């Protein structure tokens, strides 16, 4: 699990392709952004996380973040919070969420 959070930190620190959205933007900003901007940011996530689990594609992140952003109480949450939830949820479903300590 520590590797996962190190990977998430690396995504945060990498210079981004997506200029309109960043991990620190709110889910409301995600919902209001264009499909291309969401796809560009999700592509970064997919490239960063696909080595952890092959299901972590850009399409997975777009769909999952869209779903999390649709929760009525999530609008002020950050995109990075949704990514963490998406990763953790998928790893729980595939049994990969075990601690590597």
């Amino acid at each position: 699990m520590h590797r996962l959070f190190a990977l998430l930190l690396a995504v945060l620190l990498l210079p981004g392709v997506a200029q309109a959205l960043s991990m620190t933007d709110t889910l409301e900003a995600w919902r209001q952004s264009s499909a291309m901007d969401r796809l560009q940011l999700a592509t970064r996530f997919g490239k960063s996380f696909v080595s952890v689990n092959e299901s972590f594609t850009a399409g997975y992140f777009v769909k999952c973040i869209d779903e999390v952003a649709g929760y009525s109480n999530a609008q002020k949450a950050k995109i990075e919070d949704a990514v963490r939830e998406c990763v953790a949820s998928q790893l729980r479903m595939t049994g990969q969420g075990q601690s590597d300590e």
Side-chain angles (χ1 to χ4, degrees), residues 38-84:
R38 289 187 299 234
L39 182 59
Q40 286 178 337
L41 188 57
T43 298
R44 284 178 56 201
F45 303 145
K47 287 179 180 179
S48 297
F49 287 100
V50 76
S51 64
V52 175
N53 184 311
E54 65 186 26
S55 67
F56 289 142
T57 62
Y60 169 77
F61 282 107
V62 168
K63 182 179 176 189
C64 185
I65 297 169
D66 279 347
E67 186 176 304
V68 174
Y71 300 155
S72 61
N73 61 347
Q75 298 312 301
K76 292 182 182 178
K78 304 244 185 260
I79 294 170
E80 65 187 316
D81 299 325
V83 170
R84 266 191 227 107

Side-chain angles (χ1 to χ4, degrees), residues 6-44:
L7 197 56
L8 183 60
L9 182 60
V11 170
L12 281 169
L13 298 176
L14 288 173
V17 174
Q19 298 300 316
L21 282 176
S22 76
M23 297 260 312
T24 57
D25 286 330
T26 64
L27 289 174
E28 182 63 29
W30 172 271
R31 290 184 67 176
Q32 292 177 1
S33 67
S34 71
M36 182 58 79
D37 288 340
R38 289 187 299 234
L39 182 59
Q40 286 178 337
L41 188 57
T43 298
R44 284 178 56 201

